[in-house]
Amino acid sequence: MTTTNKPLKISGTTTNDALIDQLRACKSPDEILRFEKWFNSNIESDNLYKRICELLKNRSISRALGSKWLLTIIEDRENTINRLSVQ
């Protein structure tokens, strides 16, 4: 018998705090991207970049920290697009 993992729902102050702690623990761009991949496939909510935008909007994180995370995600997307368009 094959089972699939049901995505987790994430919302609320304590889960936002846990999300922030997890992202702060990521020290390199690779760690941020690995966490993003895990988050987007295992959490039943918006994609990570949307959650980061919400945290910025609610002033739960600093602009510097949010921009660091978003820049990492956006640069990865751009690199992927560039690799695909060259082929």
Side-chain angles (χ1 to χ4, degrees):
M1 180 169 97
T2 304
T3 61
T4 59
N5 292 334
K6 183 178 179 183
L8 303 170
K9 288 192 176 199
I10 182 169
S11 61
T13 304
T14 55
T15 52
N16 279 343
D17 290 343
L19 174 60
I20 294 167
D21 290 343
Q22 184 63 45
L23 280 165
R24 284 186 176 145
C26 297
K27 300 300 180 196
S28 70
D30 288 336
E31 289 176 344
I32 293 170
L33 294 173
R34 276 195 302 271
F35 178 71
E36 179 204 16
K37 185 176 181 177
W38 176 86
F39 184 91
N40 290 344
S41 64
N42 292 306
I43 305 298
E44 187 179 281
S45 66
D46 292 327
N47 288 327
L48 182 59
Y49 70 89
K50 290 181 181 178
R51 294 301 299 263
I52 292 171
C53 289
E54 279 296 313
L55 293 172
L56 284 165
K57 180 180 158 191
N58 297 335
R59 297 182 179 185
S60 299
I61 57 173
S62 70
R63 293 175 297 196
L65 196 54
S67 66
K68 172 187 164 188
W69 297 335
L70 288 173
L71 187 60
T72 300
I73 293 169
I74 291 168
E75 285 178 341
D76 181 62
R77 298 286 190 288
E78 288 178 348
N79 290 337
T80 301
I81 291 169
N82 289 336
R83 279 194 311 268
L84 292 174
S85 63
V86 169
Q87 296 176 352

